[in-house]
Amino acid sequence: MSATESPAATTGGGQRRGFGIDVGGSGVKGGIVDLDTGQLIGERFKLETPQPATPDAVAQTVAAVVKEFGWTEKLGVTYPGVVDNGIVRTAANVDKRWLGVNVRDAFAAALDGQPVTVLNDADAAGLAEEKFGAGRDNTGVIVLLTFGTGIGSAVIHNGVLLPNTEFGHIEVGGKEAEHRAASSVKERKDWSYERWTQEVTKVLVAIENAIWPDLFIAGGGISRKADKWVPLLKNRVPVVAAALQNTAGIVGAAMAADVDVTATAK
């Protein structure tokens, strides 16, 4: 698709389209999303995350992904940390030069002024999973946790996002949650699923005791093997595996841009 063939936000048949980009440690992935079904329209496109992943380098990579689709409408982009009114506040697992950056302005500049909504990557995945994935038939408080290098979190109450929760950084038994139960800890210590789920259970129970959710959704790469470890958990709230897998961040980013949750969350 060339830059002169920009897809419209709605088609003649009334299909609502959005565009989302998921910025990760290894790749920057984007695609066009059917906002009524949560499905990608066509294939996603991925470029390697630049190293070092400075704000300017990532912004240019995001622009290259958008250019691949010739998209000229508003779009959503994820960031792996807290974004408060467009300003990056945390950089736990990314380049520290992100701190204090107005990320919306940085991306918009690289995109020649296209409207950009930026939100936490786990928040984006949570929005998508709650509406189109593992949480779609549930009500109440849903907590998505992404188990990877760290632990990302999203809280959605009856479709409304509580942005920028950082459950991966709460203290559980004298240790930060993600230092106790991220999937990277399992790999580094060569733990069995039985051993690792003991730590995951402690984190889930701490969250349960604080906010009493109705459902946990387990995301991250290790969720693909949920059948090996979710049944081993000993917490009281049901836990289900994420359903959208690699598309959740893209779909959630497009959803966020559609309603601009960063503008309505304050």
Side-chain angles (χ1 to χ4, degrees), residues 175-247:
K175 184 180 293 187
E176 200 166 304
E178 65 179 28
H179 295 164
R180 178 180 291 282
S183 63
S184 60
V185 176
K186 177 186 182 301
E187 295 171 6
R188 186 173 68 252
K189 297 191 175 184
D190 196 26
W191 280 346
S192 65
Y193 284 111
E194 289 81 1
R195 176 66 186 88
W196 179 61
T197 52
Q198 292 177 24
E199 303 304 320
V200 176
T201 294
K202 293 174 184 176
V203 171
L204 297 182
V205 169
I207 297 171
E208 288 173 346
N209 290 342
I211 66 170
W212 284 77
D214 297 285
L215 179 72
F216 282 113
I217 299 175
I222 201 166
S223 67
R224 298 188 189 95
K225 299 180 180 179
D227 60 314
K228 297 182 181 296
W229 61 272
V230 168
L232 303 175
L233 296 169
K234 305 298 184 183
N235 63 299
R236 62 180 178 268
V237 173
V239 181
V240 297
L244 299 181
Q245 301 295 340
N246 288 334
T247 67

Side-chain angles (χ1 to χ4, degrees), residues 159-185:
V160 178
L161 173 70
L162 175 65
N164 291 320
T165 56
E166 289 283 278
F167 289 150
H169 300 300
I170 64 173
E171 184 177 308
V172 178
K175 184 180 293 187
E176 200 166 304
E178 65 179 28
H179 295 164
R180 178 180 291 282
S183 63
S184 60
V185 176

Side-chain angles (χ1 to χ4, degrees), residues 17-41:
R17 294 182 171 194
F19 193 89
I21 293 184
D22 189 17
V23 176
S26 60
V28 177
K29 310 177 288 290
I32 301 171
V33 177
D34 184 328
L35 293 169
D36 295 315
T37 67
Q39 299 294 312
L40 293 192
I41 299 171

Side-chain angles (χ1 to χ4, degrees), residues 1-89:
M1 183 181 296
S2 72
T4 60
E5 299 172 29
S6 177
T10 58
T11 66
Q15 183 186 46
R16 295 190 312 120
R17 294 182 171 194
F19 193 89
I21 293 184
D22 189 17
V23 176
S26 60
V28 177
K29 310 177 288 290
I32 301 171
V33 177
D34 184 328
L35 293 169
D36 295 315
T37 67
Q39 299 294 312
L40 293 192
I41 299 171
E43 299 294 322
R44 67 174 186 161
F45 179 70
K46 178 180 178 180
L47 293 175
E48 290 186 3
T49 302
Q51 299 300 328
T54 63
D56 182 64
V58 172
Q60 293 302 321
T61 305
V62 166
V65 173
V66 175
K67 184 178 180 180
E68 180 71 19
F69 292 87
W71 186 265
T72 59
E73 308 290 335
K74 61 186 178 182
L75 67 145
V77 183
T78 72
Y79 168 78
V82 171
V83 180
D84 179 24
N85 285 322
I87 306 298
V88 172
R89 301 301 186 189

Side-chain angles (χ1 to χ4, degrees), residues 65-192:
V65 173
V66 175
K67 184 178 180 180
E68 180 71 19
F69 292 87
W71 186 265
T72 59
E73 308 290 335
K74 61 186 178 182
L75 67 145
V77 183
T78 72
Y79 168 78
V82 171
V83 180
D84 179 24
N85 285 322
I87 306 298
V88 172
R89 301 301 186 189
T90 66
N93 297 305
V94 297
D95 194 297
K96 303 307 179 188
R97 280 171 283 190
W98 281 97
L99 290 171
V101 169
N102 188 316
V103 67
R104 284 188 295 203
D105 287 353
F107 287 150
L111 292 163
D112 296 325
Q114 278 177 257
V116 181
T117 296
V118 183
L119 74 164
N120 174 268
D121 55 350
D123 282 348
L127 285 172
E129 287 288 345
E130 190 272 342
K131 185 169 184 178
F132 298 115
R136 64 185 178 276
D137 296 322
N138 294 268
T139 58
V141 177
I142 295 175
V143 176
L144 173 130
L145 298 173
T146 57
F147 294 91
T149 302
I151 298 177
S153 62
V155 177
I156 301 96
H157 178 234
N158 291 334
V160 178
L161 173 70
L162 175 65
N164 291 320
T165 56
E166 289 283 278
F167 289 150
H169 300 300
I170 64 173
E171 184 177 308
V172 178
K175 184 180 293 187
E176 200 166 304
E178 65 179 28
H179 295 164
R180 178 180 291 282
S183 63
S184 60
V185 176
K186 177 186 182 301
E187 295 171 6
R188 186 173 68 252
K189 297 191 175 184
D190 196 26
W191 280 346
S192 65

